[in-house]
Amino acid sequence: MNKIYEGKAKTVYETENSQEYLLYFKDDATAFNNKKHDILENKGKLNNRISTFIFQLLEKQGMPSHFIKNISDREMLVKKVKIIPLEVVVRNRIAGSLAKRYGLSEGEELKNTMVEFYYKNDALDDPLMTEDHIYMMRLAANEEIQEIREMALRINKVLKNFFLQKKIHLVDFKIEFGRTEDGRILLADEISPDSCRLWDVTTGEKLDKDRFRRDMGRVTESYEEVFNRMREACV
Ligand code: TMP
Ligand code: ASP
C-alpha cells in the first residue's frame, strides 16, 4: 500500500478505494514536539480501540467523523479527507499549557468552556492562533471556523457526559478536522488518551498521556483502565 503520510503516532495509507484511507496506529509516543520519544507496547492497539469506540459513540449522537470501520487491532478505515492544519483544543478545566501560560495551578473547572486553535506546524512548534490568524493564513473561511467551533463544543458535551458516567473528568482534548472532496468538514484523526486529559473523579489520578510527558509511569496501564471503563455498560 502507498504511504501518504507518516505522523508521530499513526501512518496513513492509500487503499484501492480512492475515497478511503487506512490509518495504522503505532506504539510510538512522543512529547514536546518529538524531543521525547519512546515505544509503549500496545499503545497503538489501545488508541485504535478507544478512538473507534468514541467515533461510534459520536456517530450515534448525530456527529459523524471520518471513521468507517475497524479492520484490525491497529488499523482503521476512514473517509479520505484533507486535514486542516489546526489543532482544535477544548478545555473544561485549567491544565497543561493554559496553566503554564498564565501562571495558574491545574484543576479548577472553567465557568465557560474554552476553544483554542493552534497552527499544526512542527517547525513552528504549533503556535496558538486567533480566528483572525486562521483567516489570514487562509486555513479556513470564517463560516468554517464557526462550524468547527460549534462541532468541537458539541463533541465536548457528549464526551464530557460520557466520561463522567465512567467516573472520569474530561479536562481537555485536542481534535482535528478535514475536508472531503466535496468540501464538507469532518471530524478526523483520533480521540484517545494521547489527545485528551482524563482524570479519575475520585482520586484525581491522571489516565492519559501526561503520565508519559511527566514521567509518571504506568502509561499503557492507564489507557487500558480508560478502555475498560468505557466498555462497561452505562448505567
Ligand atoms: P496543552 O495543555 O498542552 O495545550 O494540551 C491541550 C490538550 O491537547 C491536551 O488534552 C493534550 C492535547 N494535545 C495533543 O493532543 N497534541 C499536542 O501536540 C498537544 C501539545 C496537546
Ligand atoms: N504530540 C506532540 C509531540 O509529539 C506533543 C504532545 O502531545 O505533548 O511532540
Side-chain angles (χ1 to χ4, degrees):
M1 272 183 302
N2 218 354
K3 193 192 285 185
I4 295 288
Y5 173 82
E6 176 140 17
K8 287 178 281 225
K10 292 187 298 304
T11 309
V12 185
Y13 295 96
E14 255 175 356
T15 66
E16 310 87 64
N17 185 329
S18 66
Q19 296 308 307
E20 297 175 357
Y21 281 157
L22 187 141
L23 297 188
Y24 180 89
F25 286 74
K26 304 191 284 185
D27 282 341
D28 295 69
T30 68
F32 316 117
N33 199 7
N34 238 344
K35 287 185 202 76
K36 184 177 166 111
H37 176 261
D38 206 349
I39 302 287
L40 304 175
E41 210 181 319
N42 282 330
K43 181 179 80 83
K45 291 184 190 173
L46 283 160
N47 281 353
N48 185 24
R49 289 197 190 120
I50 293 171
S51 275
T52 294
F53 193 105
I54 290 180
F55 285 142
Q56 288 174 333
L57 174 78
L58 290 171
E59 173 100 55
K60 279 188 223 145
Q61 304 284 331
M63 276 162 276
S65 69
H66 68 160
F67 177 80
I68 300 174
K69 65 176 179 186
N70 218 231
I71 342 195
S72 77
D73 268 1
R74 291 179 183 274
E75 293 165 312
M76 182 189 283
L77 196 66
V78 297
K79 288 180 191 141
K80 179 173 155 182
V81 293
K82 201 160 191 276
I83 294 288
I84 301 169
L86 282 177
E87 301 208 341
V88 181
V89 170
V90 181
R91 298 184 188 270
N92 294 308
R93 285 172 186 267
I94 297 174
S97 70
L98 178 66
K100 196 165 174 210
R101 182 174 308 115
Y102 297 108
L104 304 170
S105 46
E106 293 191 305
E108 192 184 321
E109 195 167 354
L110 294 163
K111 278 208 184 73
N112 297 307
T113 306
M114 289 179 55
V115 179
E116 294 175 339
F117 300 99
Y118 294 83
Y119 184 28
K120 188 175 155 71
N121 184 316
D122 282 346
L124 298 175
D125 250 342
D126 300 344
L128 184 65
M129 286 186 122
T130 66
E131 295 182 14
D132 284 349
H133 293 139
I134 299 172
Y135 187 66
M136 183 265 295
M137 291 292 286
R138 302 267 181 272
L139 302 183
N142 279 328
E143 312 80 65
E144 289 180 322
I145 303 170
Q146 291 323 314
E147 190 185 339
I148 287 173
R149 246 187 93 83
E150 280 160 25
M151 284 198 267
L153 288 170
R154 270 169 49 216
I155 291 164
N156 179 53
K157 232 180 210 163
V158 172
L159 296 186
K160 192 179 155 190
N161 287 334
F162 171 75
F163 278 116
L164 204 53
Q165 290 179 51
K166 309 295 178 184
K167 299 272 180 288
I168 292 171
H169 285 309
L170 176 61
V171 172
D172 54 33
F173 61 95
K174 183 269 300 177
I175 45 181
E176 295 179 24
F177 293 87
R179 282 194 197 88
T180 59
E181 259 170 23
D182 56 8
R184 278 180 308 132
I185 292 180
L186 271 187
L187 173 65
D189 193 50
E190 68 178 278
I191 303 184
S192 72
D194 266 10
S195 58
C196 302
R197 283 198 174 90
L198 301 165
W199 295 353
D200 182 275
V201 166
T202 318
T203 63
E205 193 186 6
K206 296 184 197 310
L207 301 170
D208 56 64
K209 192 174 161 187
D210 269 349
R211 300 197 70 87
F212 171 73
R213 295 189 189 97
R214 302 177 188 191
D215 294 319
M216 300 170 80
R218 296 182 54 80
V219 183
T220 45
E221 289 87 342
S222 301
Y223 287 32
E224 214 162 338
E225 169 72 23
V226 170
F227 183 57
N228 288 336
R229 287 200 211 177
M230 289 175 76
R231 292 153 81 190
E232 289 164 10
C234 291
V235 280

